[in-house]
Amino acid sequence: MTPRKARPTPDQFVTGIRQGNRVLLGQAITLVESTLPADQELAHALLALLLPYTGNAIRMGITGVPGVGKSTFIETLGKHITTQGKTLAVLTIDPSSRLTGGSILGDKTRMEELSRNPRAFIRPTAAGDALGGVAHRTREAMLLCEAAGYDVIIVETVGVGQSEISVRNMVDFFLLLMLAGAGDELQGIKKGIMEMADALVITKSDGENKKAALEARGAYTQALHLASPSANDWTVPVLTASALTGDGFDETWATVERYCDHTKASGFFQTTRRRQNINWFNDYFQLLLQADLQASVQAIRSTLEQAVARQEVSSHEAALRLLQAYRDHHRTL
Ligand SMILES: Nc1nc2c(ncn2[C@@H]2O[C@H](COP(=O)(O)OP(=O)(O)OP(=O)(O)O)[C@@H](O)[C@H]2O)c(=O)[nH]1
Ligand SMILES: [Mg+2]
């Protein structure tokens, strides 16, 4: 039997990650994603040690329906950011590589160029199926990347489900990518998502699509102006971009920087991060509580569910009994 390679110690992880060791950063993210108790324990020890080095990146979320061009957009924006001498970490939440068909830019949709760039680190977050755990793992991965010194973190998520709300709550700047010429319903974008965005970008503004993109820009600008003003005194800009021609990326990045300057000056940036920390603490506690509840009184819960279904006991009474069983369980521990 070949002996298993010894796992690095927490100190070795911390030193390595702080020095920009990408292998160790990758391993630490794997620990964060692991469901094994020993891995989780180590992951949380690392996060605690690295916490003082977090918080210094610009955290950016990018969302949009499948095929809108998120990966291609990040590849091009990433080139722009790294050319300025900045480093970038990209975390993608939906790693299922669907076939989008009619690929113009071919392999670039998998961010191949960016993945070879020494200033960039790309990591898909396994979607997994743990109780709402994806968002927590992504957030922890983000903190690890920050501790590793990345200047910008981009979280890519598909804009069709619950995940973008979690992502919105972990980033400073939330960007919504839209296609021209498709109604909102067609794009599967819920109105609420548009309201969460700090900027909109109409993608694929090139060739025959350019005219439609400019029209969409006008229409969305108007629609947003009708919406009530935001709490942070920021007018949500609508831009157009093309990964094919490179147009619009200067403007997009300038918008992100302008937003950060603006909200840091007003204090909104810092207040939002503090509020986000509190939200994550509460969310995580809920998650632990749920897992604990699941583990400790699952059998009684199933029995009570059946009794409720048969109307032998009221839902209210059943909930109280379950709470009592839960308390008793902990008292006997
Ligand atoms: N003409 C043109 N095509 C683009 C542009 N950006 C992306 N595409 C094409 O649009 C398709 C989808 O691009 P992706 O970057 O994979 O889109 P995505 O939003 O990441 O898709 P999912 O990861 O499946 O949700 C690909 O065929 C790209 O080549 C653009 O600026 N112009
Ligand atoms: Mg993609």
Side-chain angles (χ1 to χ4, degrees):
M1 227 171 73
T2 46
R4 265 191 74 189
K5 223 175 122 198
R7 174 176 270 180
T9 63
D11 280 346
Q12 283 169 337
F13 264 118
V14 170
T15 313
I17 289 171
R18 295 277 301 135
Q19 286 171 350
N21 183 324
R22 299 153 73 105
V23 175
L24 284 178
L25 174 61
Q27 282 178 10
I29 296 177
T30 304
L31 287 175
V32 156
E33 290 172 351
S34 168
T35 48
L36 294 176
D39 288 352
Q40 283 185 356
E41 207 173 300
L42 180 53
H44 288 125
L46 290 183
L47 282 165
L49 290 169
L50 288 167
L51 195 67
Y53 309 109
T54 63
N56 299 319
I58 294 180
R59 304 168 179 176
M60 195 177 164
I62 295 191
T63 195
V65 293
V68 69
K70 295 178 293 298
S71 304
T72 317
F73 185 89
I74 293 169
E75 167 108 333
T76 312
L77 186 67
K79 204 191 297 173
H80 188 85
I81 292 169
T82 52
T83 304
Q84 294 182 4
K86 293 189 169 67
T87 54
L88 166 72
V90 180
L91 305 169
T92 58
I93 289 196
D94 182 1
S96 61
S97 49
R98 280 174 306 277
L99 288 172
T100 24
S103 173
I104 294 169
L105 302 172
D107 284 346
K108 281 192 182 174
T109 54
R110 261 160 276 150
M111 303 188 228
E112 296 217 340
E113 204 180 318
L114 199 59
S115 64
R116 286 195 302 269
N117 186 326
R119 290 209 179 99
F121 175 83
I122 301 180
R123 170 82 184 209
T125 300
D129 52 19
L131 290 164
V134 185
H136 285 276
R137 292 201 292 272
T138 306
R139 184 172 185 270
E140 288 172 351
M142 182 178 85
L143 294 175
L144 291 172
C145 291
E146 274 189 351
Y150 286 92
D151 300 311
V152 182
I153 319 274
I154 293 182
V155 182
E156 174 190 351
T157 180
V158 174
V160 286
Q162 187 66 25
S163 68
E164 59 278 300
I165 296 171
S166 309
V167 172
R168 159 73 287 184
N169 287 334
M170 71 176 83
V171 298
D172 307 312
F173 187 91
F174 195 61
L175 184 67
L176 174 61
L177 302 186
M178 306 276 274
L179 289 167
D184 293 0
E185 302 82 358
L186 206 105
Q187 299 201 19
I189 290 289
K190 289 187 223 85
K191 195 165 169 287
I193 294 173
M194 218 162 107
E195 283 162 5
M196 297 190 305
D198 298 308
L200 258 60
V201 174
I202 318 289
T203 56
K204 309 188 192 184
S205 171
D206 44 53
E208 289 179 354
N209 208 23
K210 192 163 181 172
K211 190 164 165 278
L214 292 172
E215 280 169 13
R217 179 183 194 164
Y220 282 123
T221 305
Q222 214 163 18
L224 286 166
H225 281 175
L226 295 176
S228 47
S230 61
N232 56 2
D233 186 28
W234 169 256
T235 307
V236 176
V238 185
L239 313 172
T240 56
S242 163
L244 217 54
T245 64
D247 284 348
F249 287 86
D250 265 351
E251 212 182 345
T252 301
W253 185 243
T255 300
V256 176
E257 293 196 311
R258 188 163 59 84
Y259 180 87
C260 290
D261 289 346
H262 175 78
T263 53
K264 278 178 181 168
S266 71
F268 182 85
F269 186 96
Q270 298 83 345
T271 315
T272 304
R273 281 209 175 171
R274 280 197 290 272
R275 200 189 56 234
Q276 288 177 344
N277 284 343
I278 296 173
N279 284 346
W280 285 100
F281 155 64
N282 283 316
D283 274 12
Y284 198 60
F285 182 63
Q286 288 289 338
L287 203 70
L288 292 178
L289 208 57
Q290 259 176 38
D292 187 48
L293 189 71
Q294 204 77 13
S296 58
V297 289
Q298 187 48 35
I300 303 172
R301 186 185 190 152
S302 303
T303 311
L304 283 168
E305 269 178 10
Q306 285 161 26
V308 168
R310 288 194 298 264
Q311 292 197 319
E312 289 164 10
V313 56
S314 74
S315 318
H316 182 85
E317 174 65 21
L320 289 174
R321 277 198 219 166
L322 185 61
L323 181 64
Q324 192 54 50
Y326 182 66
R327 285 181 176 153
D328 291 346
H329 174 85
H330 282 272
R331 211 166 285 137
T332 54
L333 285 182

